[in-house]
Amino acid sequence: MLLSRRQLLAAASASLLAGCTTRYAQPIPSPGMPYEPYQPSGPRIPEEYLRMYAAMPNERFPIPAVDLRKVNPIYYRQVVPYSSNEPTGTIIVDTPNRFLYLTMEGGRAMRYGVGIGRAGFAWGGTARIAYKREWPRWTPPAEMIARQPELEPYRNGMEPGLANPLGARALYIFEGNRDTIYRIHGSAEYWTIGTAVSSGCVRLINQDIIDLYNRVPNDTRIVVLQGAQA
């Protein structure tokens, strides 16, 4: 179903009040998904994942390797069996379980671990990716600057870079021609994947958002599942 006007306004209000940042938030564990990072003396991390999350020195802003000991292995990028009535190439956000799926042929999907807003994604339904940006600028809302005056230097936008809350890539979510104010974006804070820490946007490890960015075109359908829907 399409987002209702009430849902859209609630989503916009929540994002305007907080923006896509986690600097002042504390992680909340995913329900049913205990945070179990690898320990140095624990199992050896498979080479395929070390390569998948290796440093990306050729990016505009070189991205360091992910310390996979700090990420629950369930959230590593992987192809999984996935049954859905949605067409191939649809993005499905499973909010309760902190997964993003990109549907593929043959009853499969590419699955990514995500972090979500502290209050959960404020809406559920269908929308589209109106456009994408590499190394986007981030502009904190005026309400956020009023609460956190130290953000005043970024009133007209924060330059792209590893410290930018939107990370290496951003996908902009619209309902029809209306901006929901929500984004799917990258994050250098890979240890927060699987938790509720952002202000409403869906965040991925930078290596994962680059992979997703390269797989989906503009106007990609996105479905956000809440609670019993997931």
Side-chain angles (χ1 to χ4, degrees):
M1 67 178 180
L2 290 176
L3 307 178
S4 69
R5 178 174 178 79
R6 179 177 295 178
Q7 289 172 319
L8 180 68
L9 291 175
S13 176
S15 187
L16 285 173
L17 288 174
C20 292
T21 181
T22 64
R23 182 176 176 186
Y24 298 94
Q26 295 298 321
I28 299 175
S30 173
M33 296 288 183
Y35 179 69
E36 298 176 350
Y38 274 115
Q39 299 299 322
S41 59
R44 180 174 177 272
I45 299 174
E47 288 292 330
E48 63 178 301
Y49 292 118
L50 294 176
R51 291 193 298 270
M52 185 180 295
Y53 293 104
M56 304 183 76
N58 295 325
E59 278 288 316
R60 176 181 173 189
F61 302 96
I63 298 172
V66 174
D67 182 353
L68 291 174
R69 296 171 301 173
K70 297 181 179 180
V71 180
N72 189 322
I74 198 172
Y75 297 120
Y76 296 172
R77 183 197 329 157
Q78 56 193 287
V79 176
V80 297
Y82 189 72
S83 178
S84 172
N85 293 326
E86 295 295 336
T88 297
T90 300
I91 292 173
I92 300 176
V93 180
D94 179 352
T95 303
N97 293 310
R98 317 294 200 251
F99 291 129
L100 182 152
Y101 295 90
L102 177 62
T103 60
M104 304 168 67
E105 295 180 352
R108 301 179 304 153
M110 182 66 76
R111 189 181 76 187
Y112 307 83
V114 302
I116 62 168
R118 285 176 58 82
F121 217 53
W123 52 269
T126 61
R128 68 186 181 94
I129 303 301
Y131 58 93
K132 311 182 296 180
R133 292 289 184 268
E134 296 188 13
W135 294 105
R137 290 174 62 86
W138 173 70
T139 303
E143 293 87 348
M144 174 182 276
I145 296 173
R147 294 194 314 272
Q148 302 170 12
E150 67 273 17
L151 295 179
E152 179 62 37
Y154 307 118
R155 181 175 292 275
N156 295 319
M158 177 187 286
E159 292 296 322
L162 293 177
N164 187 300
L166 295 183
R169 304 286 190 275
L171 312 180
Y172 294 75
I173 303 174
F174 277 56
E175 182 199 19
N177 293 321
R178 294 182 295 181
D179 190 350
T180 67
I181 316 298
Y182 284 127
R183 316 289 182 236
I184 300 173
H185 64 86
S187 174
E189 298 176 341
Y190 48 80
W191 55 89
T192 67
I193 297 303
T195 64
V197 292
S198 69
S199 299
C201 296
V202 176
R203 54 165 50 198
L204 287 76
I205 296 171
N206 273 326
Q207 282 85 342
D208 282 347
I209 192 63
I210 291 172
D211 182 84
L212 178 63
Y213 180 100
N214 291 336
R215 293 176 185 272
V216 299
N218 290 344
D219 289 323
T220 290
R221 177 178 171 86
I222 175 171
V223 179
V224 177
L225 304 178
Q226 288 280 11
Q229 296 177 296

